[in-house]
Amino acid sequence: MTVMGKKFSTTDLSKLSDDKALAIAAFGEAVAAYRYIELSEKTRDSSLRDSFEQMARDERQQRDRIQLLLARLAPTAGFYLSQEDKLAVCVGPRLVDARDDARFDEAMKLVIASEKRTASFYMRYARHAQDAEVKALFEELAAVGLEQVQRLRKLLSAVGREIAEPCPVSQMRMA
């Protein structure tokens, strides 16, 4: 499905296993960490650079938590993630181009949209999780993702960058 040029996953989360959901989540966190590293390397603003470096560390820690849980629940699991699976947690290409102001703004739109999509994935899958620890982790990460969107907006606003984006976080409900 495509809305406003962005493809959305149509995966039925009720049919997804906890281990596959964890693999998808780990992929999303790894992509987010990579994007924040790219952004930190491209920006000239030191406060943005420091913030993006911290965000990359945070995303790697979240990925590591997910991977540890996956290794404990399904030590022999190995998943091929389809494009459909990846769409559940990412918007746009893995590599973001932020070499000038216009591209930086577009990169930030992708990052914010991916943060919202990942939070939505966590929020929606938590309802179907079979394992209580997976459910609790996904509920926590959904809230963290929405906080990250707010953090990004404040950070960008502080440096005079307003990013217009569809689907404000205020329209997403945690229930």
Side-chain angles (χ1 to χ4, degrees), residues 111-170:
V111 167
I112 290 170
S114 287
E115 289 287 354
K116 289 191 284 191
R117 186 169 296 178
T118 301
S120 174
F121 171 76
Y122 290 142
M123 188 177 355
R124 292 179 300 119
Y125 186 76
R127 296 180 200 137
H128 304 289
Q130 298 299 306
D131 183 90
E133 195 173 351
V134 171
K135 179 182 179 64
L137 178 61
F138 275 33
E139 287 172 343
E140 174 192 336
L141 292 177
V144 167
L146 294 179
E147 289 168 8
Q148 180 80 330
V149 171
Q150 295 297 344
R151 181 179 175 194
L152 286 165
R153 287 180 178 156
K154 287 177 186 172
L155 179 66
L156 294 170
S157 180
V159 296
R161 311 285 300 230
E162 298 295 328
I163 304 295
E165 56 186 286
C167 183
V169 169
S170 61

Side-chain angles (χ1 to χ4, degrees), residues 15-163:
K15 295 182 177 161
L16 205 59
S17 64
D18 285 354
D19 52 353
K20 180 75 177 258
L22 287 164
I24 292 169
F27 169 80
E29 298 298 335
V31 169
Y34 181 77
R35 286 176 170 175
Y36 287 125
I37 290 167
E38 284 292 312
L39 289 168
S40 74
E41 292 173 353
K42 300 288 193 239
T43 187
R44 292 180 215 132
D45 184 293
S46 63
S47 67
L48 283 178
R49 183 175 25 262
D50 293 345
S51 293
F52 290 145
E53 287 172 357
Q54 181 59 53
M55 290 176 193
R57 285 190 293 276
D58 294 344
E59 298 291 345
R60 285 191 303 268
Q61 288 175 344
Q62 290 169 192
R63 178 208 57 210
D64 293 349
R65 287 179 63 200
I66 292 166
Q67 288 177 328
L68 282 172
L69 182 56
L70 177 58
R72 191 173 56 71
L73 293 178
T76 61
F79 290 100
Y80 164 79
L81 297 182
S82 68
Q83 191 60 30
E84 183 76 13
D85 296 331
K86 294 173 184 178
L87 283 173
V89 291
C90 287
V91 174
R94 179 182 170 119
L95 180 63
V96 291
D97 181 2
R99 64 187 137 157
D100 59 35
D101 285 349
R103 287 185 178 100
F104 179 84
D105 289 352
E106 284 304 311
M108 290 311 305
K109 286 179 186 177
L110 284 177
V111 167
I112 290 170
S114 287
E115 289 287 354
K116 289 191 284 191
R117 186 169 296 178
T118 301
S120 174
F121 171 76
Y122 290 142
M123 188 177 355
R124 292 179 300 119
Y125 186 76
R127 296 180 200 137
H128 304 289
Q130 298 299 306
D131 183 90
E133 195 173 351
V134 171
K135 179 182 179 64
L137 178 61
F138 275 33
E139 287 172 343
E140 174 192 336
L141 292 177
V144 167
L146 294 179
E147 289 168 8
Q148 180 80 330
V149 171
Q150 295 297 344
R151 181 179 175 194
L152 286 165
R153 287 180 178 156
K154 287 177 186 172
L155 179 66
L156 294 170
S157 180
V159 296
R161 311 285 300 230
E162 298 295 328
I163 304 295

